[in-house]
């Protein structure tokens, strides 16, 4: 997906796309200049929304580059250099390079303590920083994988994301969305704008963590959707979940395969029956590694450079870039009408926007950079479980 011919005009086009995306305003140190990142993520994002506009006959007209920075327009947060915009992820030196380490979940401080074999403290960062300086990126990757930490070294990754097939409209199709946070919900949001019916599914014990975040941004991504809450641990609700999935044209999920298998759901069987299954993971369905938007983008190589060190590019940029990619894939289908299981690795999506060779970072005058901007929600986001009874009644399913 990255440009392969670097003419002066192509380079200028990339710089313009980045400048208008709002990302440079979020890239660099707070007391330093805004930075134009390496690669072509903003240009790729615009290609995706151009394709969506064409598929929808002009019904959906968005600027993909602007979507990359949209969340920051709601949170009001700015660039943090080696700390992510959301301040939950850090870039830290290792014995042989640099690494990205996230501490976003309530249990992460305990897991970080286990990583460095120390007792948990209120502030895990000093101990983690010291430990990383004495250990290699490979050692970090191995231990983070075992512990389920979102962390890893900045190292080359596979850059072979799936490519869309024949375009197809999604107006009137039913989308069942199990995803959370940003990438999957953005995909569902775009499908909803294109005319699909979106039903968000959560479990009683694992609601979407974004509900606790910026309320207006959550409403933007979920406005006009329906909400179903089902407990796969309860036999009747588990059967209801299977019936709901069987009724779908498109399923979106962002879990490791074993998690959905635990719900009794089979992605391959759904695709074999003619459905479209969108599977978004940090590093692919064959990997058990976890990740979030900031650490995934950084470890895949999308970092800028300032003062001799790597700095974060934008705000969790792997999320919106992947959400756009997933929406384009969902709006495509095999020519023979068969189904498809799309295995979308966020790290691969990011890596495909980068160029071979050294990454080039350029400062840019702040006056030439667009600030992140926000759109207005097109509907009200449903309360958790609001539509459970109505949706199941439509399917002829009773829980009692």
């Amino acid at each position: 997906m990255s440009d392969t011919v670097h003419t002066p005009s192509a380079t200028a086009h990339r710089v313009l796309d980045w400048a208008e995306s709002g990302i440079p305003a979020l890239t660099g140190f707070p007391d330093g200049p805004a930075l134009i990142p390496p690669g072509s993520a903003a240009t790729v994002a615009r290609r995706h929304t151009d394709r969506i506009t064409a598929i929808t006959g002009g019904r959906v007209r968005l600027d993909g580059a602007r979507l990359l920075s949209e969340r920051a327009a709601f949170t009001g947060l700015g660039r943090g250099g080696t700390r992510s915009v959301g301040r939950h992820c850090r870039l830290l030196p290792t014995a042989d390079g640099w690494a990205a380490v996230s501490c976003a979940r309530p249990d992460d401080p305990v897991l970080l303590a286990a990583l460095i074999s120390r007792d948990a403290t209120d502030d895990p960062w000093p101990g983690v920083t010291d430990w990383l300086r004495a250990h290699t990126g490979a050692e970090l990757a191995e231990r983070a994988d075992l512990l389920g930490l979102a962390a890893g070294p900045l190292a080359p990754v596979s850059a072979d994301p799936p490519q869309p097939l024949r375009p197809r409209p999604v107006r009137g199709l039913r989308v069942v969305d199990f995803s959370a946070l940003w990438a999957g919900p953005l995909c569902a949001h775009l499908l909803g704008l294109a005319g699909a019916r979106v039903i968000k599914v959560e479990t009683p014990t694992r609601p979407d963590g974004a509900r606790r975040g910026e309320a207006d941004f959550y409403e933007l991504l979920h406005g006009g959707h329906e909400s179903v809450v089902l407990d796969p641990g309860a036999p009747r609700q588990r059967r209801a979940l299977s019936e709901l999935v069987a009724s779908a044209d498109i399923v979106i999920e962002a879990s490791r395969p074993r998690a959905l298998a635990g719900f009794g759901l089979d992605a391959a069987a759904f695709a074999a029956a003619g459905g479209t299954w969108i599977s978004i993971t940090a590093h692919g369905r064959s990997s058990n590694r976890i990740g979030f938007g900031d650490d995934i983008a950084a470890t895949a190589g999308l970092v800028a450079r300032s003062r001799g060190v790597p700095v974060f590019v934008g705000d969790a940029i792997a999320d919106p870039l992947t959400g756009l990619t997933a929406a384009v894939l969902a709006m495509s289908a095999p020519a023979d009408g068969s189904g498809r299981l799309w295995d979308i690795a966020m790290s691969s999506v990011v890596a495909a926007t980068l160029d071979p060779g050294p990454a080039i970072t350029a400062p840019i005058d702040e006056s030439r950079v667009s600030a992140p901007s926000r759109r207005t929600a097109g509907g009200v986001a449903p309360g958790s479980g609001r539509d459970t009874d109505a949706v199941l009644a439509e399917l002829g399913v009773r829980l009692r």
Side-chain angles (χ1 to χ4, degrees):
M1 291 186 183
S2 61
D3 295 335
T4 55
V5 178
H6 306 301
T7 64
S9 60
T11 300
H13 181 63
R14 282 191 184 192
V15 170
L16 179 62
D17 289 339
W18 275 123
E20 293 179 348
S21 73
I23 291 295
L26 304 173
T27 304
F29 285 99
D31 59 348
L35 301 175
I36 295 292
S40 58
T43 302
V44 168
R46 280 186 159 163
R47 289 179 192 155
H48 287 333
T49 46
D50 286 348
R51 182 181 177 94
I52 291 171
T53 298
I55 293 171
T56 61
R59 176 187 176 94
V60 181
R61 294 182 180 273
L62 295 171
D63 183 345
R66 303 290 297 163
L67 296 185
L68 298 180
S69 65
E70 188 168 52
R71 187 172 70 173
F74 287 85
T75 64
L77 298 174
R79 58 183 181 261
T82 56
R83 298 187 181 188
S84 64
V85 169
R87 305 303 193 260
H88 294 303
C89 189
R90 299 194 185 190
L91 290 167
L92 299 167
T94 65
D96 60 350
W98 285 81
V101 180
S102 282
C103 185
R105 301 167 299 179
D107 292 341
D108 280 342
V110 174
L111 295 176
L112 287 172
L115 172 75
I116 63 176
S117 302
R118 294 186 186 177
D119 293 333
T121 63
D122 291 338
D123 182 3
W125 292 114
V128 170
T129 300
D130 290 343
W131 186 90
L132 285 173
R133 287 186 182 278
H135 293 80
T136 66
E139 290 175 287
L140 168 65
E142 181 180 5
R143 299 188 70 164
D145 191 14
L146 290 172
L147 292 167
L149 275 168
L154 276 57
V157 301
S158 170
D160 188 27
Q163 300 299 311
L165 303 173
R166 184 182 66 173
R168 61 128 179 216
V170 296
R171 188 173 180 81
L173 298 187
R174 176 177 291 188
V175 177
V176 171
D177 176 25
F178 289 95
S179 68
L181 301 179
W182 193 357
L186 176 59
C187 173
H189 167 66
L190 295 170
L191 296 180
L193 292 180
R197 176 185 179 185
V198 180
I199 301 171
K200 184 178 184 66
V201 181
E202 299 165 279
T203 68
T205 58
R206 292 289 298 273
D208 185 347
R211 287 186 180 275
R212 301 188 301 271
E214 220 297 325
D216 289 343
F217 184 60
Y218 185 87
E219 182 144 301
L220 173 68
L221 295 186
H222 297 87
H225 298 178
E226 297 164 79
S227 173
V228 168
V229 172
L230 290 169
D231 181 0
R236 287 189 178 182
Q237 295 191 47
R238 186 184 183 94
R239 287 193 295 271
L241 191 62
S242 295
E243 291 286 342
L244 178 58
V245 168
S247 76
D249 299 291
I250 300 170
V251 171
I252 304 169
E253 51 89 3
S255 303
R256 287 174 285 183
R258 68 187 184 193
L260 270 295
F263 289 2
L265 303 178
D266 188 329
F270 181 85
T276 298
W277 190 286
I278 302 292
S279 177
I280 299 172
T281 57
H283 303 284
R285 289 175 63 83
S286 63
S287 172
N288 283 322
R289 290 177 60 196
I290 70 163
F292 301 108
D294 287 305
D295 60 85
I296 291 170
T299 56
L302 182 50
V303 291
R305 296 274 169 176
S306 181
R307 303 174 185 173
V309 300
V311 296
F312 285 102
V313 170
D315 172 27
I317 192 172
D319 275 299
L321 187 61
T322 302
L324 283 162
T325 301
V328 166
L329 294 173
M331 293 184 196
S332 76
D336 61 4
S338 60
R340 179 58 63 102
L341 168 54
W342 293 106
D343 182 358
I344 307 170
M346 296 173 70
S347 56
S348 185
V349 169
V350 171
T353 69
L354 301 173
D355 305 311
I360 299 175
T361 302
I364 184 171
D365 190 294
E366 206 91 29
S367 65
R368 296 177 56 199
V369 174
S370 297
S373 61
R374 55 195 290 173
R375 293 174 292 138
T376 302
V380 176
S384 183
R386 183 196 68 184
D387 305 292
T388 303
D389 291 341
V391 169
L392 295 185
E394 183 183 333
L395 296 174
V397 175
R398 293 180 179 271
L399 295 181
R400 301 175 185 84

